[in-house]
């Protein structure tokens, strides 16, 4: 009986402390705030140097009505660029749940801050960008497990696009944040996929190709002794356009990541004490990010 009374007394004490802190409506500076089961999910990357003010804290309790897409799309824990000042380096990452059964269209959704009042739509994009060709843009959809890096600034190539096994070549002429993966086929793999290589390519040129790194367009002067077939291979096949031409039918051509650009020339999100919401096309909250 004595032990039971101790347990009951301890539970009563916990209830008093919880109620004094404001109960389920009160935001806690040391963790996630308690909320109703229908409230939007919140990802906290890092607590700010001081607690949010009462006014700022109220935004957590009034993020808005939860979207039916909640848990289907969410901010990634890999999001580290929201604090950047330069819009070309400022980004957030959205992921589609691996448990989804269908693609989720993100074009037309909005990124919104109840702190600053900024609100920007997610644009359309192209599946395979083409060099020096204007590609038609279509709504962006994320398949289960895919992600979208949404950058505040302008696209280095003018459009939002899906990554593929050749897009590492684009880093030769533009700077991307984050860096594009250098996952292009190795030059020697491209070389020996050709017929009559030994007959048409001299040894010196083959040795040179085998030393080239992935995703690098060679722009230097080649020695005079290289055959024309080898020169044409380096100039045409070891480029983004050549890589796409050779591999666009591969089953693993597309990568599970998009690069999406909001096209802004100014910083969008505060360096700290910020709330960023992902809103569906009806303005309901899909997910929220704080730091």
């Amino acid at each position: 009986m004595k032990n039971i009374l101790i347990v009951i007394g301890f539970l009563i004490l916990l209830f008093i402390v919880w109620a004094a802190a404001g109960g389920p409506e009160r935001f806690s500076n040391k963790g996630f705030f308690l909320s109703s089961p229908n409230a939007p999910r919140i990802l906290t990357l890092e607590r700010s140097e001081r607690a949010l003010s009462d006014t700022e804290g109220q935004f957590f309790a009034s993020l808005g009505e939860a979207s039916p897409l909640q848990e289907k799309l969410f901010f990634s824990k890999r999001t580290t660029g929201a604090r950047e000042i330069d819009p070309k380096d400022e980004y957030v990452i959205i992921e589609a749940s691996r448990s989804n059964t269908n693609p989720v269209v993100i074009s037309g959704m909005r990124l919104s801050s109840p702190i600053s009042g900024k609100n920007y739509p997610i644009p359309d994009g192209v599946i395979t960008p083409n060099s020096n060709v204007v590609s038609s843009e279509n709504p962006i959809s994320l398949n289960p497990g895919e992600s979208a890096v949404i950058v505040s600034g302008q696209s280095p190539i003018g459009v939002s696009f899906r990554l593929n096994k050749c897009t590492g070549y684009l880093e030769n002429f533009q700077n991307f944040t984050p860096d594009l993966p250098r996952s292009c086929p190795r030059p020697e793999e491209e070389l020996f996929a050709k017929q009559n290589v030994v007959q048409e390519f001299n040894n010196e040129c083959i040795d040179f190709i085998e030393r080239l790194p992935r995703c690098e367009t060679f722009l230097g002067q080649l020695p005079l002794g290289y055959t024309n077939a080898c020169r044409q291979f380096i100039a045409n096949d070891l480029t983004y356009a050549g890589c796409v031409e050779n591999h666009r039918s591969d089953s693993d051509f597309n990568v599970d990541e998009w690069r999406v650009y909001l096209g802004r020339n100014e910083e969008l999100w505060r360096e700290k004490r910020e709330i960023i919401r992902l809103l569906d096309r009806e303005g309901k909250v899909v997910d929220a990010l704080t730091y």
Side-chain angles (χ1 to χ4, degrees):
M1 177 65 70
K2 181 179 179 180
N3 290 337
I4 294 176
L5 291 176
I6 292 175
V7 172
I8 294 174
F10 180 73
L11 293 175
I12 292 174
L13 178 61
L14 285 179
F15 177 82
I16 293 173
V17 173
W18 173 74
E25 303 301 326
R26 179 65 177 172
F27 170 77
S28 168
N29 293 322
K30 297 185 181 298
F32 293 102
F33 66 91
L34 298 175
S35 58
S36 67
N38 294 323
R41 169 188 176 275
I42 295 178
L43 172 64
T44 303
L45 293 184
E46 179 182 306
R47 289 299 173 204
S48 57
E49 296 174 0
R50 65 162 178 81
L52 292 174
S53 68
D54 290 340
T55 300
E56 292 168 326
Q58 290 174 4
F59 282 113
F60 285 87
S62 59
L63 286 172
E65 182 180 353
S67 167
L69 294 175
Q70 184 181 357
E71 304 301 337
K72 294 183 181 295
L73 291 173
F74 49 85
F75 285 108
S76 170
K77 293 181 179 179
R78 298 182 292 118
T79 295
T80 58
R83 300 179 181 88
E84 296 294 332
I85 298 175
D86 193 322
K88 69 178 179 58
D89 298 325
E90 186 183 51
Y91 67 90
V92 298
I93 302 176
I94 293 173
E95 294 183 357
S97 173
R98 294 185 181 277
S99 64
N100 292 348
T101 56
N102 295 298
V104 179
V105 177
I106 64 170
S107 293
M109 292 187 180
R110 306 183 77 86
L111 292 174
S112 170
S113 168
I115 297 288
S116 66
K118 293 181 177 178
N119 192 309
Y120 295 99
I122 298 176
D124 294 342
V126 300
I127 294 179
T128 305
N130 294 313
S131 301
N132 303 319
V133 176
V134 177
S135 303
S136 59
E137 299 180 46
N138 294 289
I140 297 171
S141 62
L142 298 184
N143 293 314
E146 293 185 341
S147 62
V149 178
I150 304 181
V151 183
S152 300
Q154 306 282 343
S155 169
I157 61 172
V159 293
S160 299
F161 62 97
R162 183 175 188 150
L163 270 58
N164 59 58
K165 69 192 311 179
C166 300
T167 45
Y169 275 107
L170 299 177
E171 285 276 4
N172 285 279
F173 306 105
Q174 293 94 8
N175 293 321
F176 293 83
T177 301
D179 293 337
L180 297 179
R182 298 267 181 164
S183 56
C184 314
R186 290 191 296 271
E188 60 267 33
E189 294 175 346
E190 299 283 66
L191 176 63
F192 289 106
K194 300 288 185 182
Q195 296 181 349
N196 304 320
V197 168
V198 176
Q199 293 87 346
E200 297 181 4
F201 292 59
N202 56 336
N203 286 330
E204 293 80 9
C205 189
I206 293 175
D207 291 341
F208 174 80
I209 292 171
E210 290 179 334
R211 293 193 297 269
L212 288 174
R214 293 173 182 261
C215 308
E216 181 168 307
T217 301
F218 182 76
L219 300 176
Q221 188 71 29
L222 295 173
L224 295 176
Y226 290 4
T227 64
N228 287 334
C230 192
R231 289 173 178 276
Q232 291 176 6
F233 171 81
I234 294 172
N236 298 326
D237 288 67
L238 301 185
T239 63
Y240 174 72
C243 179
V244 170
E245 179 66 23
N246 293 331
H247 294 282
R248 69 188 317 152
S249 298
D250 294 356
S251 60
D252 63 346
F253 177 70
N254 287 320
V255 176
D256 59 358
E257 179 180 305
W258 282 79
R259 293 297 173 91
V260 183
Y261 297 86
L262 301 180
R264 315 309 301 179
N265 294 318
E266 71 282 346
E267 176 189 17
L268 297 188
W269 318 121
R270 291 162 39 141
E271 291 181 69
K272 53 188 176 182
R273 307 183 188 97
E274 178 64 286
I275 304 172
I276 304 174
R277 301 179 301 174
L278 175 63
L279 307 179
D280 66 17
R281 279 169 288 280
E282 295 180 358
K284 298 178 181 180
V285 182
V286 179
D287 197 15
L289 169 70
T290 80
Y291 55 91

